[in-house]
Amino acid sequence: MEPAEMPYEPGEVVHVRHDEDSEGRTHRFGCEVLSVSEADEVNDYTYTLFSFGWERVLATDYRHSQLYPSPRGYPNIDEFLGDGHVQGERLLGKFKRRDLEVIDECLTVVDKEADATKDWFNELRKEDVDRINSVFAELVLLYHLRTVYRRERVSLNARVGEKDFDLRLTTEEEDVWIEVTKPDFADSLSDGFGWGLPKTTQNSIDRKLKSKFEEARDRAPEDAVLILGIYCEEQINQSFAMGQWLDEEYYDVGEICDGWLSYTHLVDTQIGYQSFTDDGERCRSLFDRMVGE
């Protein structure tokens, strides 16, 4: 990560450079430049910063050389956004450094020219944290699928009827269609988790199954395996909520969905799988391979 060539201006979003030798002077949140103190050399300019995560002005003023622009300081994000300003990129820049590092790495598997990424830009322009996190959830799963199965086997936006499924994995034996959902749970810009009600996870899954899978089951190719990918911000509690929802047996999930894949990137990526049909169980080995590699 490199500092900008020109001095930062008030209102710009930056991240503090990660320096293991001075851990006390680094932190994980995006910051807004509040004021600028000029110097003879650009790298000696100093800035007063407001931390979005801590919601306070930082006690330490940082030199230009200690800061890099967010999100443009992340090379793959910068390349993906392109040369012109994209509405919503400032909000993306407020994310924690670790989240942007993950996004930057995941973008290595994306072909901006060949992949259907227009919807991602549309969601970013809405300037809604939850919608950006939904794109993040899709990107994380795309990264893990393509890392194992390569780009040519994993495509974006597979058309089924009047709607799209987010991802499609094709192997010699299987044709797997995956729709991704990110149930609301935690505040992505806070220092900790906002411990939400498990009901929000249950309702999100129910809405996604009814809005996408009922129609897809009738319109998808006969051999298609339909999977719900569930991005969990808090794996233990949300997995418990999903189990409770299944125990209630509101309807036979297996009639419209073959299985669901739950995953998270927090600390290390964790992936879990539950099948509801024989076709879904047959695909377990595909996802086990993702965990193994």
Side-chain angles (χ1 to χ4, degrees):
M1 306 296 182
E2 298 296 332
E5 295 182 0
M6 300 297 292
Y8 301 111
E9 297 181 359
E12 290 193 69
V13 180
V14 296
H15 269 150
V16 178
R17 291 171 63 91
H18 179 66
D19 184 354
E20 294 181 356
D21 295 332
S22 57
E23 185 62 32
R25 295 178 58 83
T26 65
H27 60 89
R28 55 193 175 279
F29 299 113
C31 300
E32 180 178 351
V33 175
L34 294 182
S35 63
V36 183
S37 295
E38 297 183 8
D40 294 335
E41 301 291 335
V42 172
N43 281 337
D44 292 329
Y45 273 57
T46 58
Y47 305 88
T48 301
L49 305 180
F50 175 84
S51 170
F52 291 113
W54 289 335
E55 296 186 344
R56 67 171 183 259
V57 178
L58 298 181
T60 301
D61 285 347
Y62 288 87
R63 293 199 315 275
H64 186 89
S65 59
Q66 295 175 289
L67 306 174
Y68 54 91
S70 182
R72 292 286 185 167
Y74 300 84
N76 297 319
I77 295 177
D78 182 49
E79 180 182 1
F80 178 75
L81 292 175
D83 295 332
H85 174 77
V86 177
Q87 183 176 336
E89 67 177 75
R90 185 177 189 276
L91 180 57
L92 178 61
K94 295 180 181 181
F95 277 46
K96 295 177 185 177
R97 184 178 63 226
R98 169 58 181 162
D99 287 341
L100 290 179
E101 288 172 347
V102 172
I103 293 172
D104 196 61
E105 173 64 22
C106 289
L107 282 171
T108 59
V109 304
V110 175
D111 186 330
K112 185 181 176 182
E113 302 301 324
D115 285 328
T117 57
K118 181 179 178 180
D119 287 346
W120 292 357
F121 282 97
N122 290 338
E123 296 295 347
L124 183 61
R125 293 186 179 102
K126 293 176 183 177
E127 298 187 279
D128 182 299
V129 171
D130 188 60
R131 297 310 308 156
I132 294 175
N133 275 335
S134 294
V135 172
F136 182 18
E138 184 178 328
L139 177 60
V140 168
L141 186 54
L142 175 71
Y143 173 80
H144 286 287
L145 285 169
R146 281 187 170 172
T147 297
V148 175
Y149 294 105
R150 303 188 305 278
R151 182 175 299 168
E152 61 269 20
R153 291 190 178 275
V154 184
S155 58
L156 291 170
N157 294 2
R159 195 71 174 173
V160 53
E162 298 298 318
K163 300 178 181 179
D164 289 336
F165 260 48
D166 293 318
L167 302 168
R168 186 179 184 182
L169 167 64
T170 55
T171 68
E172 289 83 355
E173 298 82 16
E174 306 295 348
D175 182 12
V176 184
W177 299 53
I178 305 174
E179 176 66 17
V180 176
T181 187
K182 188 203 73 65
D184 298 339
F185 194 81
D187 181 357
S188 67
L189 301 183
S190 69
D191 190 19
F193 288 113
W195 295 96
L197 295 175
K199 203 71 175 178
T200 60
T201 297
Q202 299 169 357
N203 291 342
S204 295
I205 292 172
D206 186 48
R207 286 194 301 269
K208 181 66 72 171
L209 289 173
K210 290 179 178 178
S211 66
K212 280 290 184 78
F213 283 76
E214 285 185 331
E215 178 183 346
R217 186 82 283 173
D218 295 331
R219 295 176 176 269
E222 185 175 351
D223 61 347
V225 182
L226 304 184
I227 303 295
L228 178 62
I230 307 168
Y231 179 83
C232 296
E233 292 178 283
E234 209 298 308
Q235 188 85 319
I236 295 176
N237 285 276
Q238 290 187 287
S239 294
F240 177 73
M242 289 186 283
Q244 281 186 317
W245 185 81
L246 286 174
D247 289 341
E248 295 292 337
E249 296 182 335
Y250 293 107
Y251 50 86
D252 185 356
V253 177
E255 290 184 356
I256 56 175
C257 178
D258 294 298
W260 63 36
L261 181 72
S262 61
Y263 64 102
T264 183
H265 85 284
L266 300 176
V267 184
D268 294 311
T269 298
Q270 300 174 351
I271 298 173
Y273 182 68
Q274 180 162 354
S275 62
F276 302 114
T277 67
D278 291 340
D279 288 341
E281 181 60 28
R282 194 175 64 245
C283 291
R284 181 178 296 277
S285 60
L286 296 177
F287 303 121
D288 285 346
R289 182 179 171 188
M290 288 171 59
V291 176
E293 298 187 20

